[in-house]
Amino acid sequence: PLGDAPPLPAAFAAPAALAESLTLADTCLWVDPLDGTIEFVRGNVHNVTVLIGIAVQDRPVAGVVHQPFVGGEDGTVTFGAVGAGVFGDREPAFGDAPAGTVVAMEQHSAEDARIREAVRGLGDASEVVSQGSGQNLLKVLRGEASLLLSRPGPSRWDTCAGEALLLAAGGQVTDLEGEPYRYTQGEKSYLNAGGVLAARTPEL
């Protein structure tokens, strides 16, 4: 029951001035209740995630990624906020980038000509191919991959939570041209039309 949930860490308490200045119009939740639908159908449930991202003034500031089929009966939760850090059931909740270059991709991106060209430009890079934006962003956050490359396809609700966690850990998420996405409610399309580049560190 929600009433039995432990309180959030004190670090998540918003400063008084910020709490007073924010309005509902500033804040938008981006929720994907079942990210990795194809993997769920295939029975690869370890790649399924539940995503809750919070954007303030059109940029991600906090996120929750729940892996319902990983870990114990309650699954595994990773949560965090920019300026507060990243926390979760898994220790450590995040890690450094791997020593070698490891690229996480979904299958359709691995077959995309532009993505193939980008991977070749990285030199001796290894690839990890699996479906689901949420779990692929977790791979980058945890240091299991150096970066995530995706052709246009994921939507804002696929990336908001993971982007917030990466930002909180010192990472970065942009389109393939290096431009950040705006998480603006009421846009005509919420598709990440410029593709996705998520890196464990900005230097990558």
Side-chain angles (χ1 to χ4, degrees), residues 30 56-60 156 180-184 187 190 192:
W30 298 84
V56 174
Q57 296 181 350
D58 303 333
R59 289 293 295 148
R156 300 294 200 279
Y181 280 108
R182 306 292 293 179
Y183 290 78
T184 306
E187 289 189 342
Y190 297 130
N192 292 337

Side-chain angles (χ1 to χ4, degrees), residues 9-173:
F12 277 83
L18 176 62
E20 291 174 3
S21 65
L22 286 178
T23 67
L24 286 177
D26 292 319
T27 307
C28 185
L29 296 181
W30 298 84
V31 179
D32 189 342
L34 183 63
D35 180 65
T37 309
I38 293 176
E39 294 290 69
F40 182 81
V41 172
R42 291 172 176 170
N44 300 325
V45 294
H46 57 283
N47 289 332
V48 171
T49 55
V50 178
L51 308 174
I52 304 172
I54 303 173
V56 174
Q57 296 181 350
D58 303 333
R59 289 293 295 148
V61 298
V64 180
V65 178
H66 181 220
Q67 297 172 281
F69 303 106
V70 175
E73 183 178 334
D74 296 327
T76 300
V77 176
T78 304
F79 61 95
V82 176
V86 178
F87 312 89
D89 299 328
R90 184 181 183 272
E91 290 292 340
F94 63 97
D96 296 329
T101 304
V102 181
V103 183
M105 295 179 287
E106 294 190 344
Q107 185 63 48
H108 60 262
S109 292
E111 298 168 354
D112 182 84
R114 185 181 183 189
I115 299 297
R116 296 295 342 145
E117 182 180 357
V119 173
R120 284 193 295 272
L122 294 171
D124 188 21
S126 57
E127 302 173 17
V128 179
V129 179
S130 58
Q131 299 297 116
S133 296
Q135 62 90 21
N136 272 316
L137 285 165
L138 278 181
K139 282 186 172 70
V140 180
L141 177 72
R142 292 169 175 171
E144 298 167 10
S146 314
L147 51 93
L148 163 67
L149 288 175
S150 175
R151 71 175 189 178
S155 298
R156 300 294 200 279
W157 50 78
D158 295 313
T159 55
C160 186
E163 179 172 356
L165 294 179
L166 273 171
L167 290 172
Q172 188 172 355
V173 179

Side-chain angles (χ1 to χ4, degrees), residues 59 163 172-182 194-197:
R59 289 293 295 148
E163 179 172 356
Q172 188 172 355
V173 179
T174 67
D175 66 14
L176 295 177
E177 298 295 333
E179 295 297 323
Y181 280 108
R182 306 292 293 179
V196 176
L197 167 59

